[in-house]
Amino acid sequence: MPGSKFVAGSKDDFDRLYQETYQRIFRTLVVLTGSPAAAEDCTQDAFLKAFQAWKGWKEDAPAQAWVHRIAINTASSYRRKQRLREVGEVLRRLGRPHAADPTEPDLGPDMVRELGRLPPKLASAIVLRHLHGYTNREIGTILGIPESTVASRLSEAKKTLRARLGPGHGPISDTSAASRVSPDK
Amino acid sequence: MTMNGGDGLDLDKLLNTELHRQVGSLSGPSTRVAQSAYHAAFLTGGTMTPLATLAAMASSKTAAGLAVAALAVGGGSVAAAAATGSSNPLVWGKTVSAVVSTCKSDLKLGAHGIGDCVSDVANKKGAEERLAHSKGKSGQDHPSGSPTDHPTGAPTSHPTSTDHPGGAPASHPSSTNHPGGPPAGTPSR
């Protein structure tokens, strides 16, 4: 995590914070929201909220971690609203098949989709570790939780992913395909 | 730490490779401060009007929306006038609409970068219009002709500063009385 110095309330410093963290936060939110367009909306919303609170930022947490936390919370709110909308959609469709949005790029199979299905608090721990390479301590700072909680969230997230992805997932599983019994047999 | 559950699924490795492959190369469209919602809010005095917010939250069109918001909202009038070379809000709207349309047609479906495109074209157009405007003022492009061709009249019929309706624009907004100025709760430079 970069250790740049920032002065709370300074517009110039906030501009620098934006430029330093924008891409990282955007990528985190792509996974949490499951959509680049939603991620961009949430990223902008998060920076707007952060800017409004910038005067009150305290140096006890790095500014990058502080704004990342705001962004993750923003994405979590988005997910809650999205779920409510989806319930309404399901009721409206009443069994009609769901048509994919052609304007949304395909984020690929399985992994990102499955991460998007995890609760945001679990998915964010996974993204911060495996996409950005933060340590448990740094993740704890970003999420505002103890290191031990980070470890348990990572463990829970992986347990859930393992159960959902199963042994038949992707290229890694191919290496051990011979040792497994095919479900067809 | 690897987490091989005994089923051949090296989840840590899979997470690293898949996340980097699928997300690591993605790039958000609003990389520049000028394209950000908070900067638009700063320009408009710390709060965004519902119209500007709607424009800014228009999904992947965010950057273009911000350009429109920054130009359309009163607080951004200086930036808008600078970009379009006109003090007329109608001109800003037309200019921005034209610029956004041009950029949309130039970009492939789903491609990012409309914010950059809008910004570049708007700046270029603004520079062209300012240049044209300044040329007009300098008189270099005025048709030449003998002085006798000019309409003549008594000097008293010419408008003067004293009989100009309204006189000096005392009511024009300034940095101190601008209604859209930064509120007390907004960070300032």
Side-chain angles (χ1 to χ4, degrees):
Chain A
M1 202 176 292
S4 311
K5 281 280 181 189
F6 294 97
V7 175
S10 161
K11 171 71 165 56
D12 288 340
D13 281 6
F14 194 85
D15 291 346
R16 191 157 52 85
L17 179 64
Y18 178 83
Q19 284 163 333
E20 280 182 16
T21 55
Y22 169 80
Q23 292 295 5
R24 210 176 313 144
I25 285 176
F26 171 75
R27 287 174 192 147
T28 299
L29 299 196
V30 166
V31 179
L32 297 189
T33 62
S35 145
E40 169 63 4
D41 288 349
C42 288
T43 303
Q44 291 303 326
D45 196 19
F47 274 105
L48 185 58
K49 286 177 189 165
F51 184 64
Q52 285 161 348
W54 183 225
K55 266 190 173 173
W57 169 69
K58 300 274 193 302
E59 282 191 50
D60 50 7
Q64 294 91 341
W66 175 76
V67 76
H68 219 132
R69 190 193 305 182
I70 292 173
I72 288 169
N73 289 339
T74 303
S76 300
S77 298
Y78 168 85
R79 286 266 303 268
R80 276 193 295 276
K81 288 175 195 164
Q82 188 69 12
R83 289 242 168 84
L84 288 174
R85 249 180 264 137
E86 281 169 6
V87 169
E89 274 296 307
V90 167
L91 291 174
R92 268 195 294 279
R93 282 206 308 271
L94 287 174
R96 273 178 282 167
H98 174 66
D101 183 352
T103 61
E104 281 288 301
D106 185 9
L107 279 178
D110 302 338
M111 184 56 77
V112 170
R113 196 179 304 145
E114 288 302 335
L115 281 171
R117 288 175 59 201
L118 287 177
K121 65 179 184 177
L122 300 186
S124 54
I126 289 281
V127 174
L128 293 172
R129 160 60 59 80
H130 291 280
L131 182 61
H132 302 309
Y134 290 129
T135 63
N136 280 15
R137 177 176 291 183
E138 289 168 332
I139 295 171
T141 305
I142 290 171
L143 300 178
I145 54 175
E147 278 184 70
S148 55
T149 309
V150 174
S152 65
R153 284 188 185 179
L154 284 170
S155 173
E156 189 184 342
K158 286 175 186 174
K159 193 176 162 189
T160 309
L161 281 174
R162 182 175 295 283
R164 286 181 184 169
L165 292 169
H169 177 85
I172 303 297
S173 62
D174 293 340
T175 60
S176 59
S179 64
R180 286 197 311 277
V181 178
S182 165
D184 296 331
K185 289 180 181 172
Chain B
M1 184 187 85
T2 54
M3 186 175 169
N4 191 325
D7 53 8
L9 184 65
D10 185 345
L11 195 55
D12 280 348
K13 191 175 175 187
L14 187 62
L15 282 165
N16 286 337
T17 53
E18 286 296 292
L19 279 174
H20 280 95
R21 187 177 66 79
Q22 294 181 40
V23 187
S25 59
L26 283 179
S27 182
S30 309
T31 52
R32 290 187 307 190
V33 168
Q35 299 169 323
S36 66
Y38 82 84
H39 184 71
F42 176 75
L43 288 178
T44 58
T47 53
M48 294 180 83
T49 65
L51 178 66
T53 308
L54 278 175
M57 296 303 284
S59 183
S60 57
K61 301 167 200 72
T62 299
L66 288 174
V68 176
L71 297 182
V73 177
S77 58
V78 175
T84 62
S86 170
S87 59
N88 183 351
L90 289 173
V91 176
W92 308 341
K94 283 178 185 168
T95 303
V96 172
S97 299
V99 167
V100 171
S101 300
T102 307
C103 290
K104 271 185 182 171
S105 60
D106 287 351
L107 286 172
K108 288 177 184 171
L109 183 66
H112 291 311
I114 195 164
D116 293 339
C117 175
V118 168
S119 177
D120 291 347
V121 178
N123 285 337
K124 208 176 285 176
K125 185 162 178 57
E128 283 169 6
E129 296 209 10
R130 282 194 299 278
L131 185 66
H133 192 63
S134 63
K135 273 187 179 174
K137 272 185 178 170
S138 70
Q140 288 172 353
D141 295 331
H142 283 191
S144 58
S146 70
T148 52
D149 293 335
H150 285 270
T152 57
T156 50
S157 67
H158 284 217
T160 64
S161 62
T162 51
D163 63 9
H164 193 284
S171 62
H172 279 199
S174 67
S175 60
T176 51
N177 64 7
H178 196 290
T186 306
S188 58
R189 283 182 193 270

